């Protein structure tokens, strides 16, 4: 594929369908994006004790994040250097003092260095040496973390993690700052969903403010009916009705919400839910926050206008509700998503319950919200695989956004600037300029 053809495929206001369907483009995305950039591995609380590990894919590569005895975290290829067998067969667990291969029992320290090989004398007189790096597990080129969120990078050089995140690091600041001790802890339950659609459907959808009142209309309208009735008969309704009823906001309301689109494809959908009710639990929580940070700082932390933060090309963080979804693309038409949520350390249990309600009502695969989105993306994939048209349109409000200091602000919440900004980053990755400019 030539650079010229990428320019033809991705234009400023439309994109050719093949970028969602062509396996050659998918392979190039894995080579140039996922296997070169910083990719989220997991939260450090997923590997609390020495020997704890968690396996995941970075692009097409099977990786394992592990905590060693000195409590340092390593991210290693999940591959035995002897004959290639994956060392950790489980999703997560504790491997004790060493990784031991299930095939011929080569073992490795928790930093990946070879530790013991049975019948070592069999290598006498051969070219094999345990001092050779190829006899140990291979580590990711770079590992770093921000506020407990661990990322790894399989390529050398390029931007630091903080340069890569840029303004989008607010995803982690906003989530952690809502804890009176400034930290979160993962809830060790992860929904995993395989979406039968290209990963870009998910990323485009997260900040797509036109779709909720259409796609989620039936849920939103039903929830609003019950919420209204409860308010009329009991004076108030639980907050979780509000999570669902806001999906049925009018087109005009959605158009008035702003998206903020950063370099590298990252972005924010500003807050629209108003998550500061005045029930006793919230009042207690806010007073704990004020005690911890002082009036002014607590107010700053509690009033940030964020609904979603997207870290392109694979992460959607709903920091005010401690939700995080991470994409692990599997094929042009298949994407695994990990759906996590977190506890605010030091916050009352009632505040955790809110997060759990949102997790189950909106982000779980069993909910009416996520299921509606999944159906659209599957049908979208089918449509783009058909010969019924060549282009995907991103014309909405094209030329009608405000550019300031490299950041694109939508003047209309439903502007497709979100997708245009993501494809600018996509092209930059695919044409190698993302790293050339650093
Ligand atoms: S393949 Fe791992 S020890 Fe042989
Ligand atoms: Fe949706």
């Amino acid at each position: 594929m030539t650079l010229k053809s990428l320019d033809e495929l991705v234009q400023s206001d439309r994109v050719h369908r093949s970028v969602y369907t062509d396996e050659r483009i998918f392979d190039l995305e894995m080579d140039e994006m996922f296997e070169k950039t910083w990719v989220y591995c997991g939260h450090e609380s997923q590997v609390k004790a020495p020997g704890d590990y968690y396996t995941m894919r970075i692009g097409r590569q099977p990786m394992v994040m592990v905590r060693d005895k000195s409590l340092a975290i390593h991210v290693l290829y999940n591959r035995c250097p002897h004959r290639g067998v994956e060392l950790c067969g489980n999703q997560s667990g504790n491997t004790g003092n060493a990784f031991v291969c299930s095939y011929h029992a080569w073992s490795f320290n928790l930093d990946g260095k070879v530790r013991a090989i049975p019948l070592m004398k069999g290598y006498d007189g051969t070219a094999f040496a345990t001092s050779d790096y190829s006899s140990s597990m291979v580590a990711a080129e770079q590992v770093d973390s921000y506020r407990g969120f661990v990322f790894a990078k399989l390529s050398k050089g390029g931007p630091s993690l903080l340069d890569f995140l840029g303004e989008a690091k607010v995803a982690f600041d906003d989530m952690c700052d809502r804890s009176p001790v400034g930290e979160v802890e993962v809830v060790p339950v992860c929904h995993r969903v395989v979406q039968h659609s290209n990963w870009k459907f998910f990323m485009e959808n997260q900040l797509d403010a036109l779709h909720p009142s259409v796609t989620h209309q039936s849920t939103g309208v039903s929830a609003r009916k019950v919420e209204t009735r409860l308010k009329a008969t009991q004076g108030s309704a639980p907050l979780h009705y509000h999570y669902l009823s806001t999906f049925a906001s009018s087109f005009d309301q959605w158009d008035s919400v702003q998206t903020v689109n950063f370099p590298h494809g990252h972005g924010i959908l500003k807050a629209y839910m108003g998550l500061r009710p005045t029930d006793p639990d919230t009042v207690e929580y806010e007073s704990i926050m004020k005690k911890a940070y002082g009036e002014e700082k607590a107010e700053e932390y509690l009033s940030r206008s964020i609904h979603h933060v997207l870290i392109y090309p694979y992460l959607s963080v709903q920091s005010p509700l401690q939700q995080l979804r991470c994409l692990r693309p599997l094929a042009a038409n298949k994407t695994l998503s990990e759906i996590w949520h977190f506890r605010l350390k030091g916050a009352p249990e009632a505040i955790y319950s809110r997060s759990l309600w949102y997790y189950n009502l909106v982000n779980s695969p069993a909910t009416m919200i996520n299921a509606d989105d999944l159906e659209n993306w599957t049908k979208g994939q089918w449509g783009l695989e058909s010969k019924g048209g060549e282009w995907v349109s991103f014309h909405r409000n094209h030329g009608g956004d405000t550019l300031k200091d490299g950041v694109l602000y939508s003047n209309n919440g439903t502007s497709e600037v979100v997708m245009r900004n993501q494809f600018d980053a996509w092209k930059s990755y695919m044409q190698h300029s993302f790293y050339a400019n650093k």
Side-chain angles (χ1 to χ4, degrees), residues 241-257:
Y241 284 99
H242 187 61
Y243 295 158
L244 298 176
S245 64
T246 47
F247 282 101
S249 303
S250 69
F251 281 139
D252 284 336
Q253 283 169 310
W254 284 112
D255 214 25
S256 68
V257 177

Side-chain angles (χ1 to χ4, degrees), residues 11-53:
Q11 301 175 15
S12 67
D13 54 9
R14 66 175 192 171
V15 170
H16 193 259
R17 67 183 179 92
S18 59
V19 303
Y20 298 82
T21 59
D22 189 327
E23 287 294 343
R24 290 170 307 169
I25 291 183
F26 177 82
D27 277 340
L28 206 54
E29 288 174 339
M30 296 302 105
D31 288 338
E32 299 300 331
M33 303 175 77
F34 288 82
E35 293 173 17
K36 278 204 179 140
T37 198
W38 286 101
V39 170
Y40 179 66
C41 299
H43 190 262
E44 60 185 24
S45 58
Q46 283 169 246
V47 288
K48 269 189 190 152
D52 282 356
Y53 68 86

Side-chain angles (χ1 to χ4, degrees), residues 79-87 100-108 116-118 123:
R79 177 194 186 277
C80 177
H82 180 215
R83 302 249 286 270
V85 168
E86 288 196 356
L87 287 160
V100 182
C101 183
S102 60
Y103 202 179
H104 313 97
W106 284 31
S107 64
F108 306 87
I117 294 174
Y123 290 97

